[in-house]
């Protein structure tokens, strides 16, 4: 009996897909993003753990192909994603990934990386839109992260559509090809946001949820594990084993639903708010 139970647990863990969410990789980040920043030394050590874990690194595009039924996933996949577009990304961060042959997906906030762009992100060193080509040259896939980084689930229809379609168009103009993947700022989404993402032409939408994705995950609410500066190599090793978090698909907690209602009410009174 115990052998079956242990085997079932191992099988369940193996079916969990770690989709890691990084932000900045720098030694001295601005205070507002420090919690979600790792140092270059931490990052290199984490990448070595991922590379040596026996998992197969893939992009979000590979998940999309699986969800669409057009291509199978490799055994034990892992996905690395980066939000916003901080200045380190097209430099030593992309180089560290390329040196280990680790593909990744970068979600860019176009208003934060375009001269005179409109963004709700607080000040921080950012890459430029023109550097998006460097990411692709280093083996990274580029996706959208809206124009201004708002809480998408608090926006009315026209404003929501503008954030999704304008970001997509700006990236497509810069790169010369379709942009098919989206990450919701701070993971905030709703059924209406997910419908709008599909209507805008995105094939996937990445949330946060701090959970494993899976082969049964929702294409427009892909679960990700958010990497914080307090996470240790032991945490990353556990994630590579499929341990340490729940797995999607899973329902939103009542606390999440209540927080969404509060944020929508606040936005109705005060206007769009930075998603962070």
């Amino acid at each position: 009996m115990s052998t079956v139970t242990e085997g079932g647990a191992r099988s369940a863990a193996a079916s969990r897909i770690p989709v890691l969410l990084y932000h900045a990789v720098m030694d001295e980040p601005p205070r507002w993003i420090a919690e979600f920043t790792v140092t270059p030394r931490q990052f290199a050590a984490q990448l070595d753990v991922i590379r040596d874990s026996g998992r197969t690194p893939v992009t979000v595009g590979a998940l999309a192909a699986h969800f669409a039924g057009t291509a199978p996933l490799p055994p034990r996949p892992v996905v690395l994603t980066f939000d916003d577009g901080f200045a380190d990304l097209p430099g030593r961060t992309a180089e560290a990934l390329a040196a280990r042959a680790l593909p990744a997906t970068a979600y860019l906030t176009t208003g934060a990386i375009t001269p005179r762009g409109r963004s709700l992100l607080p000040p921080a060193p950012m890459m430029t839109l023109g550097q998006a080509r460097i990411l692709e040259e280093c083996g990274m896939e580029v996706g959208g992260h809206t124009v201004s980084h708002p809480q998408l689930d608090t926006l009315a229809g026209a404003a929501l559509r503008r954030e999704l379609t304008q970001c997509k168009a700006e990236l497509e103009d810069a790169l010369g090809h379709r942009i098919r993947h989206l990450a919701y700022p701070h993971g905030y989404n709703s059924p209406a946001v997910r419908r709008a993402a599909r209507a805008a032409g995105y094939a996937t939408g990445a949330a946060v949820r701090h959970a494993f994705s899976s082969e049964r995950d929702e294409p427009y609410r892909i679960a990700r594990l958010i990497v914080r500066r307090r996470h240790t190599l032991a945490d990353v090793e556990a994630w590579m084993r499929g341990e340490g978090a729940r797995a999607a698909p899973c329902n939103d907690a009542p606390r999440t639903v209540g927080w969404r209602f509060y944020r929508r009410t606040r936005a109705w009174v005060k206007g769009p708010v930075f998603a962070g």
Side-chain angles (χ1 to χ4, degrees), residues 134-158:
I134 297 175
L135 302 183
E136 294 190 330
E137 291 168 0
C138 290
M140 300 184 76
E141 173 183 64
V142 173
H145 198 43
T146 73
V147 175
S148 68
H149 206 281
Q151 299 180 11
L152 288 177
D153 58 345
T154 69
L155 299 184

Side-chain angles (χ1 to χ4, degrees), residues 215-267:
E215 294 188 2
R216 299 187 301 107
D217 203 358
E218 302 166 76
Y220 289 92
R221 193 161 60 153
I222 296 172
R224 295 190 288 174
L225 296 160
I226 188 166
V227 182
R228 301 172 187 264
R229 63 177 174 178
R230 62 177 169 80
H231 284 128
T232 65
L233 288 182
D235 292 320
V236 179
E237 290 169 347
W239 293 339
M240 294 304 105
R241 295 193 302 268
E243 301 170 358
R246 62 180 179 168
C250 48
N251 293 327
D252 287 336
R255 181 175 60 181
T256 300
V257 176
W259 177 236
R260 181 182 301 135
F261 177 79
Y262 165 78
R263 290 185 294 100
R264 285 175 172 170
T265 302
R266 181 181 60 184

Side-chain angles (χ1 to χ4, degrees), residues 146-201:
T146 73
V147 175
S148 68
H149 206 281
Q151 299 180 11
L152 288 177
D153 58 345
T154 69
L155 299 184
L160 172 60
R161 288 191 296 272
R162 183 167 56 251
E163 286 285 346
L164 300 180
T165 58
Q166 183 178 328
C167 170
K168 191 172 189 291
E170 289 171 342
L171 291 172
E172 289 175 344
D173 287 345
L175 294 170
H177 61 74
R178 290 180 63 194
I179 295 297
R180 294 182 50 78
H181 308 296
L182 169 72
Y184 311 115
H186 211 68
Y188 292 144
N189 68 95
S190 66
V193 171
R194 298 193 290 273
R195 288 193 298 270
R198 182 191 295 271

